[in-house]
Amino acid sequence: MGLLTTVSRPLGDLLSNKSTGILIAAGAFSFIVFAVVLNVLSQLLFRNPNEPPLVFHWVPFFGSTITYGIDPYVFFFRCRQKYGDIFTFILLGKKTTVFLGTKGNDFILNGKHKDLNAEEIYSPLTTPVFGEKVVYDCPNAKLMEQKKFVKFGLTSDALRSYVPLITNEVQNFISRSPVFNGIKGTFDVTKTMAEITIYTASRSLQGKEVRSKFDSSFADLYHDLDMGFSPINFMLPWAPLPHNRKRDYAQKKMAQTYMEIIKARRDGGSQKDDVDMIWNLMSCVYKDGTPVPDMEVAHMMIALLMAGQHSSSSTAAWILLNLATRPDIVEELYEEQKRVLGPDLPPLDYESLQRLELNSQAVKETLRIHAPIHSIMRKVTTPMPVEGTPFVIPTSHVLLAAPGVTSKTASHFPEPTHWEPHRWDEGSPLHGINKEVEEDEKIDYGYGLVSKGAGSPYLPFGAGRHRCIGEAFAYVQLGVVTATMVRHFRFKTLDGKKSVVGTDYSSLFSRPLSPAMLQWERREKEAKA
């Protein structure tokens, strides 16, 4: 008692002389220290041998969130070196199990719907942006039907009709935008490609009526809606933050705009266009006999617009950024057009675009290094054993596939960080072994036969039931944009360096860090015109 009294009395006197704020701060600090110690001890003493190894972290809840968020690929490769292809890390309180390599891609992307669920992961983020009862805010079977409806605008005939529309949009931008006034200058490639691709996507996928609205306030609404994809909205989509208030207003206004177009058409005030997606969706009927409600048509149109612009915008920017470091490739692309299409460079069409092999390879190589989405997540709904390991992934985990890791792995692609379109030439030393896997196995998830496709190390558009149905459109759009820009300009970096800017991973979609400035110079023929 004497020792306790000796210690406690001065401690009590010390605390009694401190303010409430200091006491609260001291208590909070003690709690944090205790939580950290407890978290570290639990990792060291209580590892579950039936679950993948847990990436060591100091702070509970936050775990590896910051290191993952700064550069996911650096994080993935570092963890792979230490733990192997399968490991778990803490992402904002969630145990997130990463399974890398082609086996991991197949395990996750071709997982059965009864075992894995995308809706629980993405619905909080996408529903406020797209609207209710479409995409991830509906049963998976309904989503598959919606994808089937949208494929109307992605047929070969539709893609063929889009080539002149996309070409005209790019050429009109070049001739009218102050960005390209004069003979030479500089421009922010990310901002410029975002503007060009929103025009090309809206004109081709959505029709003339929708495209006309992007010359005014519609583009501003699109930007505000786009901000709804901020990563914080995975956790707090309902938070009354400024960008969320703008997102909600923009969603209502854009949906209202589409509803007005639909109403006018139903009332007989518009001429029908056979290649117009709105007309198509207005006539679609679900399997149960229910016509697609007009509001769902509006929401699907918003989703289609976002999907047609996002990945193409960042990829188009990356293509020009890489081309600026390789003036030799820029000239090869220009000469390829003159050789294949003719010295007078006739207008592009779908067939001639397919014959521009190096042009296609520049797109493909860019998608290999700069995959639009670095992480594809699924909620585990049934315990999933991992073949060849003692691991069983429990329902408390989220699974994460990273196809971009395989496309950056030297065993599949020698010198994986080197941007080289000629890598895809037959016989190239950079061609790699197992570069592409023959994908003969087809499956119908409800929107037509597609390749399961997860065996290839090159999966920029995913695989399985949620594989991007707009893959063919993206290649056409990017191919036309690249070919048209090369016809008009040469590109160089500002400082003459052979490196490109870093990647901004702060959004759901990876993109170049801003500002990403390049030099442009008109070709002689263009300069004289």
Side-chain angles (χ1 to χ4, degrees), residues 302-504:
I302 293 174
L304 180 64
L305 181 63
M306 306 293 283
Q309 194 270 345
H310 260 109
S311 59
S312 293
S313 170
S314 59
T315 304
W318 284 121
I319 290 171
L320 294 189
L321 287 165
N322 280 284
L323 284 175
T325 69
R326 294 289 303 274
D328 58 318
I329 298 292
V330 176
E331 295 312 303
E332 278 191 67
L333 290 172
Y334 183 65
E335 292 301 321
E336 178 184 55
Q337 291 192 49
K338 292 170 65 177
R339 183 181 71 254
V340 173
L341 308 181
D344 58 338
L345 294 178
L348 285 170
D349 58 34
Y350 183 76
E351 284 70 24
S352 63
L353 183 67
Q354 309 309 308
R355 292 158 53 203
L356 299 177
E357 294 184 3
L358 186 60
N359 194 78
S360 298
Q361 290 173 196
V363 173
K364 198 170 186 178
E365 178 69 349
T366 303
L367 286 166
R368 182 189 69 80
I369 295 181
H370 305 286
I373 299 179
H374 56 77
S375 302
I376 303 174
M377 300 184 190
R378 301 286 185 264
K379 176 71 175 68
V380 180
T381 55
T382 303
M384 296 185 65
V386 181
E387 185 178 357
T389 76
F391 305 143
V392 177
I393 313 301
T395 57
S396 57
H397 286 214
V398 169
L399 274 169
L400 186 155
V405 168
T406 53
S407 65
K408 295 173 185 282
T409 299
S411 59
H412 295 299
F413 298 94
E415 300 182 37
T417 60
H418 177 49
W419 187 83
E420 178 51 75
H422 285 295
R423 165 192 309 279
W424 301 90
D425 292 348
E426 193 64 39
S428 167
L430 299 179
H431 197 79
I433 58 171
N434 194 30
K435 175 176 63 67
E436 291 181 288
V437 175
E438 290 296 325
E439 299 173 357
D440 294 326
E441 188 175 357
K442 305 283 185 180
I443 188 169
D444 187 350
Y445 294 106
Y447 57 92
L449 283 173
V450 294
S451 169
K452 292 183 72 174
S456 171
Y458 176 78
L459 296 174
F461 296 96
R465 70 174 52 245
H466 292 289
R467 184 172 185 155
C468 177
I469 62 172
E471 180 175 352
F473 171 78
Y475 280 120
V476 167
Q477 184 184 28
L478 291 167
V480 173
V481 170
T482 302
T484 305
M485 295 298 285
V486 166
R487 281 192 182 195
H488 288 269
F489 304 111
R490 296 183 180 90
F491 299 100
K492 296 179 183 177
T493 58
L494 296 186
D495 52 14
K497 291 183 179 178
K498 297 296 183 182
S499 59
V500 298
V501 297
T503 304
D504 179 358

Side-chain angles (χ1 to χ4, degrees), residues 96 248 273 365 402 446 520 528:
T96 304
D248 295 342
D273 182 348
E365 178 69 349
W520 60 268
K528 293 175 183 177

Side-chain angles (χ1 to χ4, degrees), residues 174-213:
I174 290 171
S175 62
R176 297 174 183 175
S177 172
V179 171
F180 295 117
N181 277 345
I183 297 176
K184 62 174 64 176
T186 62
F187 72 114
D188 185 334
V189 65
T190 305
K191 182 178 179 181
T192 302
M193 288 300 103
E195 192 170 353
I196 287 177
T197 51
I198 195 61
Y199 296 152
T200 58
S202 60
R203 179 63 186 93
S204 55
L205 291 174
Q206 308 247 319
K208 185 186 300 184
E209 195 171 359
V210 175
R211 165 63 184 94
S212 65
K213 297 182 182 299

Side-chain angles (χ1 to χ4, degrees), residues 89-231:
F89 74 100
I90 303 300
L91 177 62
L92 293 177
K94 287 283 187 181
K95 284 190 173 181
T96 304
T97 296
V98 181
F99 195 171
L100 302 176
T102 54
K103 289 183 179 179
N105 294 338
D106 185 57
F107 183 79
I108 298 171
L109 302 181
N110 278 325
K112 296 179 179 178
H113 183 62
K114 69 179 182 64
D115 300 326
L116 295 173
N117 183 293
E119 290 82 355
E120 288 187 45
I121 299 293
Y122 294 110
S123 181
L125 185 74
T126 60
T127 300
V129 175
F130 301 153
E132 296 179 343
K133 299 183 180 180
V134 300
V135 191
Y136 293 120
D137 191 50
C138 62
N140 186 260
K142 184 176 180 179
L143 169 59
M144 296 301 108
E145 287 193 70
Q146 292 174 353
K147 292 176 80 168
K148 187 175 183 178
F149 298 154
V150 170
K151 283 188 74 174
F152 158 86
L154 301 171
T155 63
S156 295
D157 287 342
L159 295 175
R160 188 171 280 103
S161 72
Y162 294 158
V163 172
L165 300 179
I166 295 171
T167 303
N168 288 339
E169 287 295 336
V170 180
Q171 290 178 335
N172 288 340
F173 184 89
I174 290 171
S175 62
R176 297 174 183 175
S177 172
V179 171
F180 295 117
N181 277 345
I183 297 176
K184 62 174 64 176
T186 62
F187 72 114
D188 185 334
V189 65
T190 305
K191 182 178 179 181
T192 302
M193 288 300 103
E195 192 170 353
I196 287 177
T197 51
I198 195 61
Y199 296 152
T200 58
S202 60
R203 179 63 186 93
S204 55
L205 291 174
Q206 308 247 319
K208 185 186 300 184
E209 195 171 359
V210 175
R211 165 63 184 94
S212 65
K213 297 182 182 299
F214 274 92
D215 290 331
S216 55
S217 59
F218 213 56
D220 294 330
L221 291 175
Y222 178 89
H223 176 268
D224 291 341
L225 196 58
D226 186 35
M227 294 305 293
F229 285 126
S230 299

